[in-house]
Amino acid sequence: MTMSQQRLAEAFVELAGGAPGAPVDPPALLAALAVRSSELLDARACAVLGVPSDTGEEQVYASEPVARDLVLGHHEQGEGPGAYCRETGRAVPLTDLENPVVRLRWPHYAPRALALGCTHVAAHPLRGRERTVGALVLFGSVEEPVTDEGLAISQSLADIVAAALQREDELRRSHTLAGQLQHALTSRLVIEQAKGVLAASRALTMDEAFAVLRGYARSHQRKLTGVALDVVEGKLDP
């Protein structure tokens, strides 16, 4: 295995989220994607536009400040490959920023990028199962061009990060759901226990005992589970 192959293999392991079962840090993963892409592809710079949390707030991670400024500065204007790719989920092929048509399409973005030494750009979506979670933007220059091989590798890097983020999101949702189900089960058990206590102490049916619990909770503006727990623990006789 050559050194470049070794570096690529190490990057894939890192961008897959590390060791199996290890927690994924979305911001760190997106930042690593930008840095590793730039290192592996020998491009002028790379940036990632993504949403690493449920807040819905866009963040930009870049290998160099110039890349971050380009993506962040024009994202709100809807200009550049990052904004288009993030919005549509479609890849942007390698684009010549000196092309007159491109300069008309991105009247603010293209001149700014050229002034910073970037002559070409491309972008790949980070596609999840349900939505596009980000975009990887590649910047090339005369001295550091984006090659066809680099484009193919960068798409693979984007795909593996998207898969890792999707897996982390599904795991988080699973934990949340499990917690909600456990809470619901615990609440139900406490209520059933309280109904049994009232039914035995007052010679009530289970339905009548539940009506007593519910009526007390409503009249005192308390949660039913809290009232039931006080009854089970002998702190309350409604």
Side-chain angles (χ1 to χ4, degrees), residues 158-181:
D159 289 343
I160 199 167
V161 168
L165 293 175
Q166 179 73 38
R167 185 177 68 249
E168 178 65 16
D169 184 58
E170 290 174 349
L171 182 61
R172 178 185 56 78
R173 292 184 184 183
S174 177
H175 286 166
T176 300
L177 178 60
Q180 292 172 342
L181 291 174

Side-chain angles (χ1 to χ4, degrees), residues 152-209:
I153 292 175
S154 60
Q155 180 62 78
S156 297
L157 296 176
D159 289 343
I160 199 167
V161 168
L165 293 175
Q166 179 73 38
R167 185 177 68 249
E168 178 65 16
D169 184 58
E170 290 174 349
L171 182 61
R172 178 185 56 78
R173 292 184 184 183
S174 177
H175 286 166
T176 300
L177 178 60
Q180 292 172 342
L181 291 174
Q182 182 61 49
H183 176 72
L185 177 60
T186 301
S187 298
R188 185 62 183 174
L189 289 174
V190 170
I191 292 171
E192 290 300 319
Q193 289 175 338
K195 285 164 59 178
V197 171
L198 288 179
S201 63
R202 294 194 176 188
L204 302 174
T205 66
M206 295 296 279
D207 288 342
E208 290 170 339

Side-chain angles (χ1 to χ4, degrees), residues 10-128:
E10 291 173 352
F12 269 94
V13 171
E14 178 183 3
L15 297 178
V24 172
D25 182 348
L29 196 59
L30 293 172
L33 174 60
V35 173
R36 295 294 172 259
S37 295
S38 181
E39 292 176 350
L40 291 168
L41 308 180
D42 295 325
R44 169 72 175 84
C46 294
V48 176
L49 175 66
V51 183
S53 68
D54 289 337
T55 63
E57 184 177 352
E58 300 277 5
Q59 299 289 337
V60 176
Y61 307 86
S63 62
E64 293 184 19
V66 60
R68 185 180 187 278
D69 293 343
L70 276 173
V71 174
L72 186 61
H74 295 284
H75 173 59
E76 292 183 357
Q77 298 174 341
E79 286 196 23
Y84 174 84
C85 188
R86 173 76 178 88
E87 179 68 24
T88 66
R90 299 175 181 174
V92 177
L94 191 61
T95 302
D96 183 356
L97 291 171
E98 294 182 332
N99 187 306
V101 175
V102 174
R103 300 189 73 162
L104 285 174
R105 180 185 180 188
W106 300 328
H108 300 93
Y109 181 91
R112 174 64 174 160
L114 288 167
L116 294 172
C118 301
T119 58
H120 293 76
V121 294
H124 298 299
L126 275 65
R127 297 190 187 97

